[in-house]
Amino acid sequence: MKKRLTISSLLLSTALFFSASAFAETLRIGVEGAYPPFSQVDKDGKLSGFDIDMANALCKEMGVECKLIKQDWDGIIPALIAKKYDAIIASMSITEERKEKVDFTNHYYKSPARFIHKKGADHEISQAGLKGKSVGVQRGTVSDKFITGTFGEGVDIKRYGTQEEAYLDLNAGRLDFVFADAFVLLEFIGSDNGKDYEFIGDSYTDPKYFGDGIGIAVRKGDTELAKKFNMALENMRKSSYDKVREKYFDFDVFGE
Amino acid sequence: MDFSIVLDNLPLLFKGLGLTLQLLIISLVLGFILSIPLAIMAASKLKWARIPAKIFIYVFRGTPLLIQIFIIYYGFSQFEWLRESPLWIIFKEAYWCAIIAFALNTAAYTAEIFRGAFLQTPKGEIEAAVAYGMSRWDQYRHIIFPSAFRRSIPMYGNEVIFMLHATVLAGVITLVDLFGAAKILNSRYYAPFESFISVGLFYLTITFTIVFIFKLLEGHFLKHLKR
């Protein structure tokens, strides 16, 4: 009798445990953590940045509890598909190629891509000017695709796992240029390591490569979650969006 | 699953294969050359010869190869004096940084294989050599080296395969070796399974070839041990 009681109470407690976790709706969000100022890991190991603040603000707007999961860029889409988390908020550009693997919400900011080089260096941004020059990009980003697809052949494209590794090689003098998101580069040239570098050339926004801005990725077919995010985004635009934005940029980043 | 992306990008993969084989062969040759004096020093009875060799072997076997590569590629480039010295021509290139790291690493492991084999030389053979009045160098050349290298073949074959698999680390410092090519494929098409399984097959094929070569070597040099 006693034994049966323990077993049944055990069963009961497990049942309670499972139902409790089902009720407390936690949304797992994949973030990158190596893409300042959008996503970075602080000295004390905490995540911070525009993406992180956006994620937290959106979760607050939706009234759900969120768990942020750090994931390297290379595996960020596969891990979403493998259900390691339910959404990606990692400054991901909305592109046709990615749409084949994941669904996107509306954009939460827009951003052009630009070149930086050493201050005063004699460079020209053109097919001929870039010939034989080394350009560092983060592997698999829209910047990578743009350079590969447009300036292509003659350029020595070096691809890095993280943006920070590209900066290391720029500092070491192994690279003539780094090509990346303008906001990200802005942060770098404003920092101590990047003070010797400056922007050069135009801002690139070609939708063929850069898509329709930066959105939140969800698993294919997860329209309900995408809808929730869109609604939260719309509400945030009327309220807390600018407060989050002001912390990082003193100009509009939402676009139209 | 869509293996057409692999077929469409075969030139990229074969270029990667070429680089992988280059890295492997050059670093094995350099590592082998370096390992012989190291092994002699490490097996020596003289303290001043033994201790530096032992420290070298200990450091390179005692730290992960990935860390060695990061120190050589990203770490050294931090120093301005290196960037302004003529050495920078070598250290500027990811290619040479990878080869330096691989060569030093395999030199340490190979030296340890040879050191063990030297010490296993039957005492009687050395006594006989001494009785013949052979100098220390002659003993190495005619007695110790031939039998020690023969004994080392199976273990060295293992080391070659380990080195092949270690070359994937070139992919983390911008080189497009086989693994680097797979990473580009993956980032372009978001198809990790197709990308990595296809380069996995490449590595299997190379490993098979290495195993086959060493089987031939063993058949030739270790014939007297066959039963």
Side-chain angles (χ1 to χ4, degrees):
Chain A
M1 182 63 197
K2 204 176 171 195
K3 201 172 187 182
R4 207 182 295 158
L5 218 131
T6 7
I7 291 174
S8 59
S9 63
L10 197 76
L11 279 176
L12 188 73
S13 57
T14 5
L16 273 174
F17 174 77
F18 276 112
S19 56
S21 60
F23 273 110
E25 208 183 339
T26 9
L27 189 62
R28 296 164 307 160
I29 295 177
V31 297
E32 191 193 355
Y35 199 62
F38 294 97
S39 186
Q40 62 213 334
V41 180
D42 286 345
K43 280 184 196 123
D44 48 355
K46 267 170 79 180
L47 287 159
S48 68
F50 183 73
D51 282 342
I52 310 297
D53 287 356
M54 276 303 285
N56 287 328
L58 282 167
C59 289
K60 210 168 140 198
E61 192 69 51
M62 294 191 287
V64 293
E65 203 173 304
C66 276
K67 195 176 160 207
L68 301 187
I69 298 170
K70 194 170 144 335
Q71 164 70 44
D72 279 349
W73 183 252
D74 273 345
I76 209 158
I77 287 181
L80 174 71
I81 294 167
K83 301 196 174 172
K84 301 255 161 66
Y85 37 74
D86 309 305
I88 300 171
I89 302 187
S91 295
M92 186 176 280
S93 305
I94 304 166
T95 64
E96 289 306 315
E97 270 174 319
R98 287 184 183 136
K99 275 188 199 161
E100 284 177 19
K101 295 281 176 182
V102 295
D103 283 347
F104 280 101
T105 64
N106 299 332
H107 74 274
Y108 66 94
Y109 76 92
K110 271 188 178 175
S111 130
R114 297 193 69 179
F115 287 96
I116 54 168
H117 73 152
K118 190 136 203 161
K119 271 183 191 160
D122 184 24
H123 287 139
E124 194 204 312
I125 304 295
S126 65
Q127 203 86 25
L130 285 180
K131 213 174 163 86
K133 295 278 190 288
S134 52
V135 180
V137 292
Q138 191 179 3
R139 188 188 311 112
T141 57
V142 284
S143 304
D144 178 5
K145 274 158 202 168
F146 176 77
I147 289 281
T148 313
T150 52
F151 291 97
E153 291 301 300
V155 189
D156 178 16
I157 303 169
K158 296 209 160 117
R159 298 180 176 86
Y160 296 85
T162 67
Q163 191 65 34
E164 283 156 1
E165 285 169 350
Y167 294 150
L168 282 176
D169 264 5
L170 184 69
N171 279 327
R174 289 193 180 106
L175 292 174
D176 296 311
F177 304 94
V178 166
F179 184 74
D181 181 286
F183 292 117
V184 175
L185 293 175
L186 190 69
E187 165 92 4
F188 174 68
I189 58 180
S191 74
D192 205 39
N193 280 332
K195 63 180 186 307
D196 295 337
Y197 304 93
E198 63 182 3
F199 282 116
I200 176 174
D202 297 329
S203 295
Y204 298 93
T205 50
D206 187 349
K208 186 183 160 206
Y209 293 101
F210 297 100
D212 308 315
I214 308 284
I216 300 164
V218 298
R219 265 186 299 279
K220 246 190 159 14
D222 202 351
T223 33
E224 198 170 325
L225 183 60
K227 231 188 257 166
K228 270 191 201 162
F229 270 121
N230 279 336
M231 218 143 80
L233 254 173
E234 215 169 297
N235 290 335
M236 260 189 82
R237 279 295 290 159
K238 290 175 212 141
S239 56
S240 55
Y241 184 90
D242 280 325
K243 221 158 75 199
V244 174
R245 190 263 300 165
E246 271 165 16
K247 218 173 123 190
Y248 298 92
F249 313 107
D250 51 8
F251 50 90
D252 175 54
V253 296
F254 189 79
E256 73 277 351
Chain B
M1 261 195 289
D2 178 14
F3 277 96
S4 65
I5 60 166
V6 176
L7 295 176
D8 291 346
N9 288 283
L10 273 182
L12 178 72
L13 288 173
F14 273 101
K15 247 173 114 177
L17 172 69
L19 182 64
T20 291
L21 291 178
Q22 254 181 55
L23 290 171
L24 177 68
I25 292 166
I26 297 177
S27 48
L28 280 175
V29 169
L30 293 177
F32 185 86
I33 294 170
L34 197 61
S35 71
I36 294 170
L38 266 175
I40 295 173
M41 284 166 75
S44 164
K45 288 196 184 77
L46 302 168
K47 235 185 187 169
W48 59 265
R50 193 175 64 233
I51 288 173
K54 288 258 180 177
I55 290 175
F56 176 89
I57 293 171
Y58 181 67
V59 168
F60 278 90
R61 292 208 313 162
T63 52
L65 181 53
L66 181 61
I67 289 177
Q68 294 162 20
I69 289 192
F70 268 38
I71 290 175
I72 292 174
Y73 186 73
Y74 288 118
F76 286 0
S77 69
Q78 184 186 325
F79 302 113
E80 195 134 2
W81 56 265
L82 179 75
R83 293 209 302 270
E84 271 149 25
S85 79
L87 277 177
W88 184 240
I89 300 171
I90 296 171
F91 283 97
K92 189 179 177 190
E93 299 300 327
Y95 180 79
W96 291 112
C97 287
I99 284 181
I100 291 170
F102 294 159
L104 292 178
N105 190 272
T106 183
Y109 279 94
T110 312
E112 198 57 15
I113 293 173
F114 290 157
R115 185 189 70 93
F118 291 166
L119 295 178
Q120 274 171 25
T121 312
K123 257 210 171 96
E125 292 182 14
I126 295 179
E127 278 166 9
V130 173
Y132 266 98
M134 279 189 187
S135 68
R136 190 79 184 134
W137 170 240
D138 279 338
Q139 287 173 33
Y140 264 112
R141 205 162 66 118
H142 297 294
I143 310 293
I144 300 176
F145 281 162
S147 74
F149 288 149
R150 277 164 200 239
R151 271 196 303 275
S152 305
I153 292 172
M155 277 176 291
Y156 188 65
N158 237 348
E159 170 61 17
V160 172
I161 292 171
F162 278 134
M163 267 323 285
L164 166 68
H165 295 165
T167 56
V168 296
L169 294 175
V172 300
I173 52 168
T174 74
L175 292 173
V176 186
D177 67 332
L178 264 179
F179 179 57
K183 283 203 288 187
I184 288 180
L185 274 192
N186 178 32
S187 69
R188 212 175 271 168
Y189 303 98
Y190 311 110
F193 186 77
E194 292 90 330
S195 311
F196 294 120
I197 206 89
S198 54
V199 293
L201 287 174
F202 274 87
Y203 284 109
L204 270 180
T205 315
I206 309 172
T207 306
F208 183 78
T209 316
I210 294 172
V211 169
F212 181 73
I213 292 171
F214 273 86
K215 211 164 185 177
L216 288 183
L217 287 175
E218 282 178 35
H220 182 76
F221 287 108
L222 302 176
K223 216 186 254 164
H224 60 290
L225 296 179
K226 257 200 191 138
R227 279 181 230 198

